[in-house]
């Protein structure tokens, strides 16, 4: 492992030491490992993929009053402090600025193979068994109800409506999680997503059966 990668890992671990459980170091580590696995088949730039995966949630806007500049600014300053080449820094920052689900509502002008790899890795961590756990962890953090049959899932048409939702956690499956399978970029990501998607469908089947008292 390159010294600069180890320095980045140490920085992220320290910075996210008290983060919400769904967006903590362990989330970053899973995304980092998944991105590396996908990259073995996709042949993106190893350093760009590693830095972007490790720094993509260094200051998630959800926990910073919606400010989408804090994370990229922290990431850029850190990478500059460890003397990473400016062209790599610029690429990593563009990935961080454009890869999140909420930005899919906008007409993004930037993409790259490396962004597609890291984006798939991040989205894969939002689905399947861990994705379910993360959804309810965040719902609990925001004090949201598990499910309310009177509140139907919405089809969000803009970034703002998605960011400002306070719907029950189960609605999040229909408003985001079940959509991610068809938003994967890479073949490797698509293969993993299919299995995790089916697991979520099975979970929801059991959830609604148990909700009905069966």
């Amino acid at each position: 492992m390159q010294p600069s990668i180890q320095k980045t890992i140490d920085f992220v671990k320290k910075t996210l030491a008290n983060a919400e459980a769904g967006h903590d170091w362990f989330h970053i580590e899973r995304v980092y490992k998944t991105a590396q696995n996908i990259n073995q088949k996709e042949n993106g730039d190893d350093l760009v993929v590693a830095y972007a995966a490790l720094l993509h949630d260094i200051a998630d806007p959800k926990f910073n009053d919606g400010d989408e500049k804090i994370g990229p600014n922290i990431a850029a300053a850190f990478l500059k402090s460890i003397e990473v080449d400016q062209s790599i820094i610029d690429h990593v920052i563009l990935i961080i600025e454009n890869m999140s689900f909420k930005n899919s509502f906008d007409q993004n002008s930037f993409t790259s193979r490396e962004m597609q790899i890291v984006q798939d890795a991040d989205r894969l961590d939002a689905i399947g068994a861990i994705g379910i756990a993360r959804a309810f962890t965040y719902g609990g953090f925001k004090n949201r109800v598990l499910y309310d049959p009177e509140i139907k899932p919405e089809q969000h048409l803009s970034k703002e409506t998605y960011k400002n939702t306070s719907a029950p956690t189960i609605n999040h499956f229909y408003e985001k999680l079940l959509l991610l399978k068809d938003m994967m970029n890479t073949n490797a990501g698509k293969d993993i997503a299919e299995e995790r998607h089916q697991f979520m469908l099975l979970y929801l089947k059991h959830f609604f059966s148990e909700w009905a008292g069966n």
Side-chain angles (χ1 to χ4, degrees):
M1 179 184 292
Q2 289 203 16
S4 62
I5 298 297
Q6 186 59 58
K7 288 179 182 178
T8 306
I9 289 172
D10 294 341
F11 171 72
V12 175
K13 280 185 176 180
K14 181 178 179 181
T15 303
L16 299 181
N18 298 309
E20 181 264 340
H23 299 80
D24 58 4
W25 160 248
F26 295 112
H27 162 63
I28 302 299
E29 183 179 41
R30 291 190 302 269
V31 171
Y32 173 56
K33 289 178 178 178
T34 302
Q36 287 185 308
N37 289 337
I38 294 174
N39 195 35
Q40 289 179 359
K41 299 179 180 179
E42 297 297 327
N43 299 312
D45 184 284
D46 290 336
L47 283 177
V48 172
V49 168
Y51 290 134
L54 288 168
L55 293 164
H56 79 278
D57 264 349
I58 197 64
D60 191 304
K62 289 192 292 292
F63 307 104
N64 290 277
D65 297 321
D67 191 330
E68 297 181 22
K69 291 296 184 183
I70 294 178
N73 288 344
I74 291 174
F78 170 75
L79 292 174
K80 187 173 183 179
S81 76
I82 61 171
E83 300 181 337
V84 172
D85 185 83
Q86 188 62 47
S87 65
I88 293 178
I89 295 176
D90 292 343
H91 193 171
V92 169
I93 298 311
L94 282 170
I95 292 173
I96 294 173
E97 288 176 336
N98 289 279
M99 63 176 274
S100 72
F101 175 78
K102 66 180 179 298
N103 288 331
S104 65
F105 295 100
D106 295 335
Q107 200 72 10
N108 289 340
S109 58
F110 174 79
T111 190
S112 70
R113 178 177 299 176
E114 291 76 15
M115 174 172 151
Q116 291 176 342
I117 291 166
V118 178
Q119 188 176 56
D120 278 6
D122 187 41
R123 288 175 173 175
L124 285 169
D125 204 54
I127 61 178
I130 287 178
I132 292 169
R134 291 181 68 214
F136 285 106
T137 295
Y138 185 71
F141 178 81
K142 300 293 286 187
N143 198 32
R144 294 178 180 170
V145 298
L146 297 178
Y147 174 56
D148 184 340
E150 299 299 318
I151 302 176
K152 303 301 180 184
E154 298 181 35
Q155 182 182 6
H156 294 292
L157 299 177
S158 72
K159 180 194 290 189
E160 290 308 311
T161 60
Y162 173 76
K163 285 170 60 177
N164 294 325
T165 185
S166 58
T169 298
I170 283 293
N171 291 31
H172 189 59
F173 284 77
Y174 299 95
E175 295 171 355
K176 176 184 177 181
L177 306 188
L178 293 174
L179 306 178
L180 294 179
K181 174 179 72 70
D182 294 329
M183 298 176 71
M184 293 291 156
N185 304 293
T186 66
N187 289 331
K190 291 173 184 177
D191 290 342
I192 300 170
E194 180 62 40
E195 182 178 2
R196 297 189 184 189
H197 183 83
Q198 294 303 320
F199 184 85
M200 290 193 298
L201 293 178
L202 179 62
Y203 171 80
L204 289 168
K205 178 181 177 181
H206 281 273
F207 181 94
F208 289 118
S209 177
E210 293 176 20
W211 188 272
N214 299 324

